[in-house]
Amino acid sequence: MTDKLEGSERETALADLATTGWSIQKDRDALYKKFEFSDFRAAFGWMTQMALYAERWDHHPEWANMYKTVHVVLTTHSAGGLSELDIRLARKMDDCFPS
């Protein structure tokens, strides 16, 4: 089981992710970000790539794709909120997002 992220480690990670557009959802302890792509193919290709990491790490996002937009929510249900897994997946999503 993964522990809930707390204290200075949490604050540092959230501050870092905020610089790339991630925010905390108002109604729950979860990260949110909207990714915009050039078209549906780019959005779906990125989701496919991220799904391979999610499966490898056994940590799956809540996400929705609408044409070229992907809405992502990350939280660790078993920890009752954000964990290091969420931070790791958020950073991977940012790293793999086409510039």
Side-chain angles (χ1 to χ4, degrees), residues 31-65:
L31 285 169
Y32 168 79
K33 184 172 179 178
K34 178 173 85 170
F35 290 89
E36 292 279 343
F37 296 85
S38 59
D39 56 23
F40 177 77
R41 181 187 299 181
F44 198 83
W46 177 85
M47 289 179 75
T48 302
Q49 184 181 15
M50 295 303 96
L52 296 174
Y53 286 102
E55 188 65 18
R56 184 178 312 140
W57 297 338
D58 193 27
H59 189 64
H60 304 90
E62 299 172 18
W63 55 8
N65 168 243

Side-chain angles (χ1 to χ4, degrees), residues 4-5 10-11 13-15 17-18 21-34 59-63 71-87 89-90 93:
K4 188 172 177 178
L5 199 58
R10 174 189 169 95
E11 295 307 314
L14 294 180
L17 289 172
W22 289 94
S23 61
I24 293 291
Q25 282 196 312
K26 293 178 182 159
D27 59 340
R28 60 195 278 212
D29 192 24
L31 285 169
Y32 168 79
K33 184 172 179 178
K34 178 173 85 170
H59 189 64
H60 304 90
E62 299 172 18
W63 55 8
H71 297 271
V72 177
V73 175
L74 299 175
T75 192
T76 303
H77 299 282
S78 62
L82 292 176
S83 76
E84 183 57 39
L85 289 171
D86 302 303
I87 304 306
L89 190 53
M93 289 178 166

